[in-house]
Each structure stands twice: as C-alpha cells, then as structure tokens.
Amino acid sequence: MTDLSDQKIAPKVAQKSRLRVFLDSDIYYTFRRSPIAVISTIVVTILVLSAIFAPLIAPTNPFNPASLNLMNGFTPPMAPNAFTGESFILGTDDQGRDVFSTILYGMRISLFVGVAAVLFAMVLGITLGLISGYVGGWTETIIMRIADVQLTFPSILVAMLIFGIAKGVTPIEYRDQMAIWVLIIAIGLSDWVQFARVVRGATLVEKRKEYVEAARLIGRKPYAVMLRHILPNVLSPVLVIATISLALAIIAEATLSFLGVGAPPTQPSLGTLIRIGQGFLFSGEWWILLFPALTLLTLALSVNLLGDWLRDALNPRLR
Amino acid sequence: MLAYTIRRVAQSALVLLIVGLVAFSMFRFVGDPIENMLGQERTVEDIERLRDQLGLNQSFAVQYFKFLEGAVQGNFGVSYRQGRPVAEILMERAPATLELAAVSAVFAIILGIAFGVLTAIRRDGFVANFIMSASLIGVSLPTFLIGILLIYIFSVELGWLPSFGRGETVQIGNWSTGFLTTSGLQALILPSITLGLYQMTLIMRLVRSEMLEVLRQDYIRFARARGLKSRAINFRHALKNTMVPVITVIGLQLGAIIAFAIITETVFQWPGVGLLFINAIQFVDIPVMAAYLMLISVMFVAINLIVDMLYFLIDPRLRVDRAGGH
C-alpha cells in the first residue's frame, strides 16, 4: 500500500521541472522586481555572447595580416576612408584594423582571463578555506597567516609582482604566448584570500552541526565530509564574492594590460587596446581609445551591479 | 600595552622576514642576470667576469646572508638594466612619488572629510545626493581611465594643464621638489586628483556612515537639548567621535596611495618609483623589483604598526589597563 502511494506521488514531484522551481523561487522574484538587475543581466549576456561568437560577428579578423590594408589606417567611425572608400562602424586604428572587430576579440580575452582567474582563485580559496576550517591546528594557522600577510598588500600589487616573477621564469621566446596564462595565475593568486576567509568562517560554523557529525559517524572520509556535506552549505556567500571578484578581475586585467604588464599586443585585451589608443589621444584619433574604454566600463559596471544585487538578494537580513 | 606592542612589533618583523625571503628568492632563482645584462655578442670571459662581480658564484647561504646584510644597509645591488646601484636610482625617484602621494593624501583627506560631513548633515539635500551618486560612478571607473579622462579634458581639449612629467623641479640637496615652480605645481594637479579620487570617495563614505551613526546617539540629542549651536554639535561632538575608524582607514590608505601611484605614474609618465617598478617588470630587472618590494613592505608594515599604536593615543578607553585602574 505504501509502495503504491509513493509511486503515485513521485511522478507529480518530478513534473515540477527545475526551470519551474527556479521561476517560483524567491531569488527570481526579487530579480524580476529589480530593473537594475534585469538590465545588467541583459547587458552582460549580450557582451558575453558577442565575445563568444566574435569570429562570426566581427566584420574582419583583426589578427589576420592578409585581411589588413594599411591604407585603411585611421579611418574615422561611420565615414568612408579617403583612399580606399571603405567605411567602418567604429573606425580603424593605425594599422587599418577595424576597431569594432578588435573590441570583440579583445573582450574575449578580457572575459576569458577574468573568468579563469576568478575560477582559479575560487578553487584555491575554497580548498584552503575548507581545509583550514575543518582540520584546524597548525595547518589553519599557517594558511591564515599567509592570507593575513598577503592581505596587507593591495591585490593589484601582488598580481604585478607575480606577473613579473613569472615573466622572469619563462624563457624569452615563450613570454608572449604564456602571457595570458601568467595573467590568469597572477590575478587568481592575488584574489584567493577572500574566498578562503569566508569559506573558513562558514566551515567553522557548519562543522559543529549535527549533520556533519552524523556523516563522520557513518564513517565518511574527511575529504568526502568537506566536499559533499560542508561545501554545498557554504556556497552562497562564495557566489556573491565570485561575482564581485569577476568585476574586479576584469578591471585588474585591464589595468595590468594597460600598464604594459599583461596581455601582449599580439593578443590584445581591452586594456591593451586602451593602452594603444592612449597614444593617439593627442593626434585627434579619439575613437581608437574611446570605444574600448566604453566597452570595458559597461562590462565592469554591469557585472558590478549584478554582484551588488546578488549580495542583497542572498542576504537574509535585508529581506 | 607593552606586551601588546612587543607582540605587534614581532609580528611585523616576521612579515618583513617572509617578504625578504621572497625578495631574495627572486634574486636567486628568477631569470639569468647575465642573460639580461649582456647582449647577444658576449664572450665566456665576459660572462665569468660579470658572474664574479655580481657574486653569483658563491653558495646560496653566503648569497642570502649578503643580501640581508645589504638590504638592511640599503644596498640592493645593481640594476640589470641601468647598470647603476638600485639604492641610488630609488633615492633619485623617491621624491617624485612621495610628493605626489602627499598631495593626493591631503586632497583625499580634506575633501573626503568635508564631503562626508556634508552628506551626513544634509542627508537628503540636492548637493549631498549629487555627491553620493557621483562617488558611485567614481568607484566604478578604473583609475587609469580617470587619468585619461582628465588628460583629455584639461590637456587636450582645454590645454590648461600639462599631461605628463613633473614640470620644472628645484634641487634641494638630494631632494628634487616640484613645489617651488609654477610648472611643477601645475603638473601635480591632474595626477594628484587621479590618485586621490578613489581614496577620497572611500573616506567620504566612511565619514558619512560613521557620522550618521553618531548623530543618532543620545549625547548628541542632549547636546541639542542644551541649546548648543549645531556647528559645535556637528564638529566638536560628532566629528570627533567618528575619528577613530576614520584615522585607521586613512592610515591604511596612505600605503595604498603609494602602491596605486604605480598606475597614476604610468598614465602621466611621472618619474617616480612606481614607473620605475613597472619598467622593471617589463624588462625583468629583478634587483629593482626586489628592492621596490622590500621598500613598500617596510612602509606598509610600519604604517600598520603606527595605526595600531595610534588607537591608544586617540581612544582613552583603551588606556585604562595601563593606568592600572579597574
């Protein structure tokens, strides 16, 4: 009898799909009610999609020398070139590269570095935070002391230093190829501390709860307790930090590239494009600088606003 | 108090030792200095002679000891790129950065506190709302874009202020100052605003929230009831009690200003230590990088220490145990 009723109920529960669950949730409700969150989500989605599909959208491939024509150099936006008569939506730079295309490809690199750096920082921070919270003792002291020391210094300075050291370690002929990966590691390493601190704090609270004790009693291994039981319960603050970190990582990447210690000119990110554009500010070719700068600003601002909203939405005290 | 001081000093020394180890490891293991200093055309004798000169033939322990000994005496070796002692180059560049940082800090502190008090007292006023929304945009703008924007408006379009360099400087002993010439002062304006803007918004927001907190307290209401002038209430009673957290943040931000000067100095080609550091990274000039790291660590650690000690001077409640009272 009981078996039968279970079978009857089960399909009904399954019918409520994951999408439905999401649409009925509190999070989605507050999301719909916040115009800023909706708008920034739309903007971020458009930017991310156009970065992913850059090869399909971009009118030219700016990194294929065959498609470039030096005669097209310094074409203003929306105006035909004086020599070739070609016209470009956002103009061209000194080498005749279409600014719109370079922005699309540059955004790809900016987003890739930002996301990869945050993922790296997240994995590192969560791992060290879980271990130091759960294991405690000397391990905890050492990890948190390192975190304290690193926190004394601004993260951009730490990232610069790591970039410089890594540059020294890589052989000269690989430096340009490796620059993107070095950048990811440098920004990731400069940013793990907050993740570790938050996860450690939450782990200390969760550790004392009964379900963790129960999991230990039935003989689950420490790593299983940490990953399968504690981790899912400490994830929501991590999500907020990750979103805000993404905006910071994108700005950090742009700053490093702008300073000339980031993405190389052969693989320009938005920061590199701004660095290139700054050189033409005085000669009146404003579009080479303005459009990459605006793109960077829009990207960073909308991710930031999204992070702010998420923090408020997941904070039960503010509801 | 004494035990606390000793513990803090010991902690600071530990941090410096760790940083020293990082700096030395950079020296020892990153890149081949010979590769960096000699060009493609080099002979075996050249390499050997330079190895001897730089002491790269000695054992690890000897080199480490020599490094520590040198660092304490302010000797950080020879720049791979310029072939001159790093300490000499740093001394030459330091005044530019320190002057820029000082002007930015004064700008940030004065305007930050003034705007913070203003936005707290006239919470719903038009000016207060305007300042608050402007600060939100200011926080989202990356520093280097603020610099470029200022250059575009005031140098390119209006042509009022120089866009790069320090202008004319006057040499006083070892110190080159830009404070004494008109062009030097003009050159300071845009970089200081760029560097100080972020810290200003930070101080402003902190002062505002602390003021709002304090203004709700009972003693403020009693002061009102006593019929004190609102100027006396706001500045003598309220602002004074917001100062403890504000001074902490200001102190910590002083270090940040010197570190963030790297970005501003690059935008404005300001000939300070920050620009030197960026160039050192670009050319993998390890001695300069290591020296900058050591120098900025000493500064950060010292600032942290001083700020912690200042608590005792500012907040009398913390001094109770020293008086041996309750």
Side-chain angles (χ1 to χ4, degrees):
Chain A
M1 191 61 196
T2 44
D3 283 337
L4 203 76
S5 62
D6 271 0
Q7 272 173 0
K8 266 183 187 166
I9 293 168
K12 265 187 190 167
V13 176
Q15 266 171 11
K16 202 174 174 187
S17 67
R18 288 196 164 201
L19 182 71
R20 195 66 245 163
V21 172
F22 174 70
L23 290 179
D24 288 341
S25 67
D26 288 355
I27 291 279
Y28 183 70
Y29 178 75
T30 53
F31 176 78
R32 237 181 15 194
R33 297 288 298 270
S34 155
I36 290 180
V38 174
I39 293 173
S40 33
T41 309
I42 294 172
V43 171
V44 171
T45 314
I46 292 174
L47 289 176
V48 169
L49 286 180
S50 49
I52 292 174
F53 296 110
L56 299 177
I57 302 168
T60 59
N61 179 353
F63 307 110
N64 176 9
S67 72
L68 296 182
N69 183 354
L70 273 180
M71 298 289 278
N72 277 331
F74 298 128
T75 313
M78 306 292 278
N81 183 280
F83 303 106
T84 61
E86 287 181 64
S87 106
F88 302 89
I89 310 176
L90 302 180
T92 62
D93 67 2
D94 54 331
Q95 297 173 39
R97 293 189 293 204
D98 174 31
V99 171
F100 180 58
S101 310
T102 52
I103 287 176
L104 287 177
Y105 279 87
M107 204 159 61
R108 244 181 158 196
I109 292 172
S110 291
L111 273 170
F112 175 68
V113 172
V115 171
V118 170
L119 281 180
F120 177 54
M122 205 161 94
V123 171
L124 189 68
I126 288 177
T127 313
L128 292 177
L130 271 178
I131 292 174
S132 60
Y134 189 75
V135 179
W138 269 105
T139 330
E140 182 186 19
T141 312
I142 292 174
I143 294 174
M144 293 331 281
R145 259 296 106 101
I146 295 174
D148 285 347
V149 171
Q150 189 175 328
L151 216 58
T152 327
F153 302 96
S155 62
I156 190 95
L157 191 66
V158 177
M160 276 179 200
L161 203 71
I162 296 170
F163 186 88
I165 295 173
K167 198 176 174 185
V169 175
T170 36
I172 290 174
E173 54 270 31
Y174 294 116
R175 271 181 198 165
D176 271 7
Q177 295 170 17
M178 298 295 291
I180 298 288
W181 298 100
V182 169
L183 208 50
I184 291 171
I185 292 172
I187 296 174
L189 278 181
S190 71
D191 203 33
W192 65 275
V193 175
Q194 328 180 39
F195 289 102
R197 288 193 144 193
V198 166
V199 170
R200 172 182 163 268
T203 306
L204 286 176
V205 175
E206 296 295 322
K207 190 166 86 166
R208 292 199 193 88
K209 292 195 179 159
E210 279 176 358
Y211 73 91
V212 174
E213 229 159 273
R216 269 212 300 247
L217 276 177
I218 61 169
R220 301 221 67 174
K221 296 256 167 25
Y223 74 87
V225 176
M226 281 190 259
L227 292 181
R228 304 291 296 276
H229 299 272
I230 297 179
L231 182 61
N233 288 304
V234 301
L235 271 184
S236 74
V238 168
L239 195 65
V240 175
I241 297 181
T243 321
I244 294 170
S245 284
L246 179 62
L248 291 177
I250 290 172
I251 289 180
E253 186 280 328
T255 306
L256 290 178
S257 298
F258 172 79
L259 297 177
V261 291
T266 49
Q267 279 172 297
S269 71
L270 291 176
T272 323
L273 293 178
I274 295 170
R275 177 184 171 82
I276 297 170
Q278 199 203 2
F280 302 109
L281 193 56
F282 280 91
S283 47
E285 283 90 18
W286 48 270
W287 59 91
I288 307 176
L289 172 71
L290 179 71
F291 296 120
L294 281 181
T295 315
L296 173 68
L297 213 60
T298 318
L299 186 62
L301 194 63
S302 39
V303 175
N304 232 337
L305 290 173
L306 209 56
D308 275 354
W309 167 79
L310 199 62
R311 185 183 52 202
D312 295 346
L314 290 180
N315 189 343
R317 269 180 304 175
L318 289 178
R319 265 202 233 128
Chain B
M1 167 80 184
L2 189 68
Y4 176 75
T5 311
I6 292 172
R7 203 168 62 232
R8 283 293 287 117
V9 170
Q11 272 173 5
S12 309
L14 188 71
V15 171
L16 285 182
L17 270 181
I18 295 173
V19 174
L21 197 69
V22 172
F24 174 70
S25 313
M26 280 164 63
F27 250 118
R28 189 66 186 79
F29 301 114
V30 178
D32 186 359
I34 309 291
E35 193 84 34
N36 291 313
M37 287 176 86
L38 294 176
Q40 288 293 318
E41 290 166 34
R42 61 193 174 212
T43 62
V44 181
E45 290 87 71
D46 279 346
I47 293 175
E48 272 314 304
R49 203 181 58 237
L50 202 63
R51 248 179 213 293
D52 247 20
Q53 247 177 32
L54 297 175
L56 292 174
N57 283 333
Q58 290 149 333
S59 75
F60 181 88
V62 173
Q63 285 189 50
Y64 182 44
F65 184 71
K66 281 203 164 166
F67 174 80
L68 280 185
E69 197 187 347
V72 171
Q73 294 167 355
N75 177 7
F76 296 100
V78 175
S79 158
Y80 293 161
R81 185 156 164 261
Q82 305 192 24
R84 287 165 56 206
V86 175
E88 196 182 302
I89 305 174
L90 280 175
M91 284 299 289
E92 212 175 86
R93 298 283 198 120
T97 299
L98 291 176
E99 285 187 356
L100 174 62
V103 176
S104 313
V106 170
F107 162 78
I109 292 169
I110 291 178
L111 281 189
I113 292 179
F115 284 166
V117 172
L118 181 79
T119 47
I121 297 173
R122 310 216 183 294
R123 252 182 103 170
D124 301 314
F126 173 73
V127 181
N129 278 330
F130 176 76
I131 294 174
M132 284 307 285
S133 354
S135 82
L136 205 67
I137 300 169
V139 171
S140 318
L141 270 173
T143 315
F144 65 95
L145 281 184
I146 294 175
I148 294 176
L149 188 68
L150 289 177
I151 290 181
Y152 184 71
I153 296 173
F154 293 100
S155 304
V156 179
E157 285 298 317
L158 299 172
W160 289 351
L161 296 166
S163 64
F164 68 92
R166 287 183 80 188
E168 275 173 61
T169 53
V170 178
Q171 198 74 26
I172 302 173
N174 284 330
W175 189 278
S176 68
T177 177
F179 286 148
L180 298 175
T181 61
T182 327
S183 74
L185 288 175
Q186 275 179 345
L188 264 168
I189 297 175
L190 292 185
S192 321
I193 295 176
T194 310
L195 184 53
L197 206 59
Y198 180 76
Q199 328 294 334
M200 189 201 86
T201 51
L202 212 65
I203 294 172
M204 177 188 108
R205 287 172 162 265
L206 185 74
V207 170
R208 176 176 181 271
S209 64
E210 290 291 326
M211 275 289 270
L212 288 178
E213 191 73 28
V214 168
L215 285 176
R216 268 204 297 268
Q217 309 260 326
D218 282 343
Y219 75 89
I220 297 292
R221 234 181 294 159
F222 282 126
R224 284 242 161 79
R226 268 170 65 198
L228 292 182
K229 289 214 174 65
S230 58
R231 186 211 292 265
I233 295 173
N234 288 332
F235 290 95
R236 281 264 269 316
H237 295 259
L239 184 62
K240 210 172 160 188
N241 277 296
T242 64
M243 275 298 134
V244 175
V246 171
I247 285 178
T248 318
V249 168
I250 288 177
L252 297 179
Q253 288 307 309
L254 281 182
I257 281 185
I258 291 178
F260 281 113
I262 298 171
I263 302 167
T264 308
E265 285 179 10
T266 313
V267 177
F268 290 92
Q269 290 299 300
W270 188 265
V273 268
L275 192 60
L276 183 76
F277 178 63
I278 277 293
N279 290 335
I281 293 180
Q282 280 161 351
F283 295 98
V284 199
D285 194 343
I286 298 292
V288 175
M289 281 166 66
Y292 182 83
L293 174 66
M294 293 290 286
L295 216 64
I296 206 130
S297 321
V298 170
M299 207 135 58
F300 269 104
V301 168
I303 287 173
N304 274 328
L305 194 64
I306 292 170
V307 166
D308 274 3
M309 296 292 118
L310 269 182
Y311 277 151
F312 286 94
L313 294 178
I314 301 167
D315 195 337
R317 280 167 297 183
L318 290 174
R319 272 180 300 197
V320 170
D321 71 325
R322 196 177 57 168
H326 322 283

